Amino acid sequence: MAKDTLTITDNRTGKSYEVPIEHGAIRALDLRQIKVADDDFGILAYDPAFMNTASCRSRITYIDGDKGILRYRGYPIEELAEQGTYLETAYLILYGELPTARELDEWVHNITYHTFIHENIKKFMDGFHYDAHPMGILVSTVAALSTFYTEAKNIFDPESRRKQTHRLIAKMPTLAAFAYRHSRGMPYAYPDNDLSYAGNFLNMLFKMTEAKYQPNRTLERALDVLFILHADHEQNCSTNAMRSVGSSHVDPYSAVAAAAAALYGPLHGGANEAVLRMLGEIGSKDKVPGFIKRVKAGEGRLMGFGHRVYKNYDPRAKIIKRAAEEVFEVTGKNPLIDIAVELERIALEDDYFIQRKLYPNVDFYSGIIYEAMGFPMEMFPVLFAIPRTSGWIAQWDEMLADPEQKIARPRQVYLGSALRKFVPREKRRA
Ligand code: CMC
């Protein structure tokens, strides 16, 4: 009978080793027994950028990148986006099951009643330049929250964790909206607890002189769907940052700040901003073939295309493309969509993209919708960070509860100088 093991022969010594295979993986530590001498450290697995290394066992999000499948806790993303709300999806991601009606009421209540931020946070906001990037403000102010809720450092107290979870999910939109208002030189608009999660966010962003802000139902729902699509995505760069920083047992506000900082980069959450800039630079449909040619020649990337895990159409991109049509009925069509559709058409027929399995990812169309909804480009990564907070916390919770997890500390393959003697300053040569 076939055994679930792997036999490795070390050709340096002729010795064979049998290591167990569990869930399709071997333990990298099992390689350490492979040595040429007793004082040899043993074999390391070298895997820059974690291309083939599982850092955890997780029960939260499932992705089949070849088939273009994404599920949260077993539920297909398409069904959640069609029938769910962001807050019930966040509950699902965090606690493993869809909430009952009573659980949902209590959850929504808890989130709604933690949306206000301490007035002193506004003073932080005021300290930033008028042109400060809202993502930079968000990263800093969410870290600052740890100084307001000092009990947050009690990460093994379930009650404290529960409270910080409510606060983080509730306050991220408030911090984000205040950052936006600051950049516009506008007075902050306080949360309206009568509104939905997405509706209240729109209120805090766009409320002017009206006594009560009434969000447009289509835009409110579209934003909620976008939040669902961005809630979690297993071990991506920012989630890895959340787990890695959280593994030092720092408080969750500091860990979320680290995760948000990772999300800020143009290869991760900043990609949709980069997509819009790219579409703007291309300018018109007829310039698309020339642009593709330059990408193929290595002069820049087709932003919003390609993914470390998806080697097929990102299922989130499909949902966003459809949602864009509904949004455009309210806002009018964003002319950039024509350039994007043309780029997609040409790229998907081109050998360069076919061979490398490069398809549109979540960011390819999200920026176009956000722009149509009136969000400035700098807000795009912020719009990603708000819903991803539930995923980050769920992954952090899972990490803390996992007895196999320890402080994250990779190894290295050292290729630097061997031992040498200190050279006095006067004897050093240029
Ligand atoms: N345009 C042109 N060529 C590309 C692109 C692209 N967008 N993405 C990958 N390639 C090429 C790359 O040059 C390489 O070609 P070759 O084998 O000839 O050297 C090959 O495809 C493999 O690329 P890679 O860089 O090894 O792939 P990766 O898994 O390290 O990178 C990625 C994944 C998302 C960083 C990359 O595809 C990329 O830079 N895309 C554009 C940025 C983007 O849209 N990011 C959003 C990711 S989705 C949202 C999120 O999770 O944050």
Side-chain angles (χ1 to χ4, degrees):
M1 203 179 88
K3 284 204 307 188
D4 279 343
T5 61
L6 180 72
T7 300
I8 306 162
T9 304
D10 185 348
N11 293 321
R12 299 170 303 175
T13 59
K15 271 199 203 165
S16 281
Y17 303 82
E18 190 175 349
V19 298
I21 301 173
E22 226 184 319
H23 309 294
I26 61 159
R27 283 179 185 265
L29 258 187
D30 282 343
L31 301 176
R32 284 271 282 278
Q33 60 183 308
I34 306 176
K35 300 178 176 195
V36 284
D38 282 347
D39 60 351
D40 178 7
F41 185 77
I43 293 238
L44 286 177
Y46 173 60
D47 189 10
F50 304 120
M51 296 288 284
N52 195 39
T53 293
S55 62
C56 61
R57 290 173 170 170
S58 181
R59 294 183 163 77
I60 301 171
T61 291
Y62 173 78
I63 300 175
D64 183 330
D66 290 329
K67 298 199 182 109
I69 291 174
L70 169 62
R71 296 179 198 139
Y72 300 152
R73 303 280 188 184
Y75 292 101
I77 192 67
E78 293 80 3
E79 290 181 24
L80 290 164
E82 181 75 33
Q83 300 171 55
T85 64
Y86 169 66
L87 280 187
E88 69 184 336
T89 304
Y91 185 100
L92 168 73
I93 286 173
L94 280 155
Y95 304 112
E97 296 297 335
L98 284 167
T100 61
R102 200 184 57 77
E103 285 165 342
L104 183 61
D105 280 351
E106 197 184 328
W107 170 244
V108 171
H109 175 89
N110 280 331
I111 300 300
T112 307
Y113 282 84
H114 282 97
T115 47
F116 277 72
I117 51 176
H118 195 287
E119 286 290 293
N120 281 354
I121 290 279
K122 289 194 332 200
K123 294 186 194 150
F124 277 99
M125 298 269 171
D126 292 342
F128 286 98
H129 259 299
Y130 72 94
D131 59 352
H133 198 294
M135 194 64 176
I137 301 182
L138 184 70
V139 168
S140 319
T141 48
V142 75
L145 287 184
S146 73
T147 66
F148 291 84
Y149 307 112
T150 50
E151 80 280 11
K153 65 179 184 303
N154 302 326
I155 56 166
F156 291 107
D157 171 3
E159 184 47 34
S160 169
R161 274 212 309 277
R162 202 180 66 90
K163 212 166 207 162
Q164 314 322 321
T165 300
H166 295 157
R167 284 177 175 148
L168 271 162
I169 294 176
K171 293 182 201 306
M172 284 293 267
T174 315
L175 294 175
F178 279 26
Y180 168 76
R181 303 280 287 206
H182 174 72
S183 69
R184 299 273 135 158
M186 287 166 72
Y188 304 118
Y190 282 87
D192 180 342
N193 291 353
D194 296 337
L195 297 176
S196 72
Y197 190 77
N200 171 50
F201 182 50
L202 290 170
N203 156 67
M204 292 188 290
L205 289 166
F206 300 130
K207 185 172 192 279
M208 299 301 284
T209 53
E210 63 272 45
K212 191 158 182 76
Y213 179 83
Q214 298 292 352
N216 176 287
R217 292 278 168 231
T218 306
L219 301 188
E220 181 183 7
R221 175 63 191 155
L223 189 58
D224 205 53
V225 169
L226 284 156
F227 282 174
I228 293 171
L229 301 182
H230 286 89
D232 193 55
H233 212 232
E234 51 119 304
Q235 307 312 313
N236 55 85
C237 178
S238 57
T239 301
N240 185 54
M242 179 80 192
R243 280 182 175 259
S244 182
V245 172
S247 77
S248 75
H249 292 177
V250 73
D251 69 87
Y253 299 101
S254 303
V256 164
L263 189 64
Y264 196 177
L267 296 187
H268 191 10
N272 51 9
E273 184 174 340
V275 170
L276 270 214
R277 289 192 199 284
M278 173 189 78
L279 295 175
E281 276 162 28
I282 296 173
S284 59
K285 261 170 77 171
D286 55 306
K287 306 257 173 55
V288 168
F291 178 79
I292 297 268
K293 213 169 151 189
R294 288 198 295 283
V295 168
K296 284 162 60 178
E299 297 167 31
R301 289 200 159 190
L302 174 48
M303 297 311 287
F305 257 67
H307 199 275
R308 173 63 57 79
V309 179
Y310 291 117
K311 301 301 167 198
N312 200 325
Y313 212 104
D314 183 335
R316 302 168 299 173
K318 270 189 203 151
I319 299 169
I320 296 180
K321 200 175 170 187
R322 274 202 305 276
E325 286 158 24
E326 286 163 35
V327 166
F328 293 162
E329 274 175 29
V330 178
T331 62
K333 188 165 144 184
N334 184 339
L336 294 180
I337 188 87
D338 291 334
I339 304 174
V341 169
E342 182 68 356
L343 267 175
E344 179 187 327
R345 190 185 68 75
I346 296 185
L348 293 185
E349 285 174 357
D350 191 299
D351 268 355
Y352 175 95
F353 296 90
I354 294 170
Q355 275 168 15
R356 289 168 180 77
K357 298 189 177 167
L358 300 170
Y359 291 85
N361 62 47
V362 68
D363 291 317
F364 194 62
Y365 289 106
S366 63
I368 298 175
I369 288 206
Y370 289 146
E371 192 179 65
M373 289 170 82
F375 292 109
M377 261 189 244
E378 309 78 65
M379 282 299 283
F380 295 177
V382 171
L383 290 162
F384 196 154
I386 292 170
R388 184 53 60 87
T389 302
S390 57
W392 289 331
I393 302 171
Q395 301 271 353
W396 170 75
D397 263 334
E398 191 177 60
M399 187 247 333
L400 291 179
D402 183 344
E404 288 207 308
Q405 291 292 340
K406 287 169 178 272
I407 186 162
R409 204 306 186 182
R411 292 278 175 179
Q412 63 168 6
V413 176
Y414 178 71
L415 299 179
S417 302
L419 178 67
R420 45 187 182 158
K421 273 219 154 329
F422 183 80
V423 182
R425 219 164 287 159
E426 63 282 5
K427 292 198 175 156
R428 289 177 212 160
R429 295 200 185 166

